[in-house]
């Protein structure tokens, strides 16, 4: 008689049972793991693809936290057989004190509400990405306002996700001259009435001073694209 209790059947039974045990089911339930919208992720992918023919350029994420979006960007490049460099910048210690002080003194925020992201570690962050097999990235540890963007090279696509007014404002000013023609920057948290609406203020001031339109991406992305 044929053995119907083969490994495929056993696997199926295991999954059937696990899916019905609440403690296990809760660990693996499907959920959205990104802190930015699907439309923002799509914008970044389109930005990477549309700059391919013009020689590429660096893909940049400023403010990386645990690395969910970093993995998304690296996986997109891997799945398209691209070795384009990805540069990932964070303090890995949360917001710098002067930026938080500004939010409290000038933007009516409470420090307790905005003092987040202190738990990260660049060593664990990098280890996690290498464990997934990625090697076309560089991690820069430090304040994004002090990074030399010219040394990084022409920037094809950047996600600027540092939430508060001052780092968003200073970084936009420093970064923009090094964005390649046809390249783009996506600023997260361009939405009014949240703890992170400093990003919206900085983005709004930037587009006003450069005579550019407000381009909303998803529910909270603000985009900038450089003319070719
Ligand atoms: C909202 S999280 C980034 C989320 C990430 N982009 C993602 O999609 O998963 C904001 C990050 O910005 C970092 N950050 C805040 N101010 C910074 C600064 N001045 N320079 C560098 N990183 C900063 C914080 O440490 C934190 O990890």
């Amino acid at each position: 008689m044929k053995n119907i209790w083969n490994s495929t059947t056993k696997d199926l039974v295991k999954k059937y049972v696990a899916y019905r045990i609440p403690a296990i089911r809760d660990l693996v339930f499907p959920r959205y793991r990104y802190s930015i919208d699907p439309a923002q992720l799509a914008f970044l992918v389109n930005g990477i693809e549309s700059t391919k023919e013009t020689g590429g350029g660096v893909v940049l994420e400023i403010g990386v936290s645990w690395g969910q979006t970093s993995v998304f960007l690296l996986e997109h490049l891997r799945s398209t057989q691209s070795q384009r460099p990805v540069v990932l910048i964070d303090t890995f210690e949360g917001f710098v004190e002067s930026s938080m002080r500004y939010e409290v003194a000038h933007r009516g925020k409470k420090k307790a509400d905005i003092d987040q992201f202190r738990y990260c570690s660049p060593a664990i962050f990098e280890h996690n990405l290498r464990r997934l097999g990625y090697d076309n990235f560089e991690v820069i540890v430090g304040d994004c306002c002090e990074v030399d963007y010219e040394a990084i090279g022409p920037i094809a696509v950047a996600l600027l996700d540092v939430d508060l007014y001052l780092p968003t404002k200073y970084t936009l000013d420093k970064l923009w001259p090094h964005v390649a023609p046809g390249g783009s920057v996506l600023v997260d948290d361009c939405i009014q009435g949240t703890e992170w609406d400093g990003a919206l203020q900085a983005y709004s001031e930037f587009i006003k001073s450069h005579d550019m339109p407000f381009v909303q991406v998803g529910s909270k992305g603000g985009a900038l694209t450089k003319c070719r």
Side-chain angles (χ1 to χ4, degrees):
M1 198 180 114
K2 199 173 164 209
N3 178 14
I4 57 155
W5 195 241
N6 59 27
S7 61
T8 311
T9 316
K10 277 186 203 159
D11 194 44
L12 189 68
V13 171
K14 270 194 239 162
K15 284 180 181 158
Y16 184 93
V17 174
Y19 194 61
R20 281 157 183 78
I21 297 173
I24 301 177
R25 189 176 63 204
D26 288 353
L27 284 178
V28 294
F29 81 98
R31 72 196 98 168
Y32 191 73
R33 291 183 183 273
Y34 301 100
S35 64
I36 62 173
D37 294 345
Q40 292 174 280
L41 293 171
F43 178 91
L44 296 172
V45 166
N46 288 338
I48 291 171
E49 292 306 299
S50 66
T51 49
K52 243 181 194 168
E53 286 110 48
T54 52
V58 171
V59 177
L60 194 58
E61 185 183 357
I62 305 169
V64 297
S65 187
W66 288 41
Q68 270 101 338
T69 303
S70 316
V71 167
F72 176 90
L73 295 169
L74 286 161
E75 189 57 32
H76 173 67
L77 293 171
R78 176 155 70 186
S79 68
T80 53
Q81 286 87 47
S82 169
Q83 273 295 316
R84 276 166 82 173
V86 178
V87 176
L88 304 162
I89 302 172
D90 206 296
T91 60
F92 295 95
E93 293 176 350
F95 301 109
V96 301
E97 279 298 327
S98 54
S99 306
M100 286 194 286
R101 270 202 306 275
Y102 187 92
E103 295 292 317
V104 174
H106 301 284
R107 306 198 65 261
K109 305 297 180 196
K110 292 197 185 95
K111 184 162 184 220
D113 294 336
I114 56 173
D115 193 0
Q116 296 187 25
F117 305 108
R118 284 189 187 276
Y119 47 77
C120 295
S121 146
I124 297 173
F125 177 82
E126 185 161 346
H127 172 78
N128 287 341
L129 297 186
R130 299 222 180 270
R131 199 166 81 165
L132 291 168
Y134 305 121
D135 56 12
N136 54 322
F137 68 91
E138 181 194 348
V139 177
I140 297 179
V141 183
D143 182 352
C144 58
C145 303
E146 289 168 10
V147 169
D148 179 356
Y149 293 98
E150 186 171 13
I152 289 176
I155 295 155
V157 190
L159 170 63
L160 177 55
D161 191 6
V162 289
D163 308 350
L164 306 186
Y165 173 71
L166 283 184
T168 307
K169 176 185 164 47
Y170 289 144
T171 305
L172 275 178
D173 288 342
K174 280 192 82 174
L175 180 72
W176 187 245
H178 308 294
V179 173
S184 49
V185 179
L186 182 65
V187 182
D188 190 36
D189 293 300
C190 289
I191 185 167
Q192 193 66 55
T194 73
E195 297 311 331
W196 318 120
D197 55 14
L200 171 65
Q201 186 183 334
Y203 171 77
S204 303
E205 288 174 9
F206 187 87
I207 56 172
K208 192 170 176 206
S209 66
H210 288 72
D211 200 19
M212 294 165 94
F214 192 120
V215 178
Q216 188 173 341
V217 177
S219 67
K220 61 193 180 92
L224 305 163
T225 301
K226 208 172 232 190
C227 297
R228 282 185 193 273

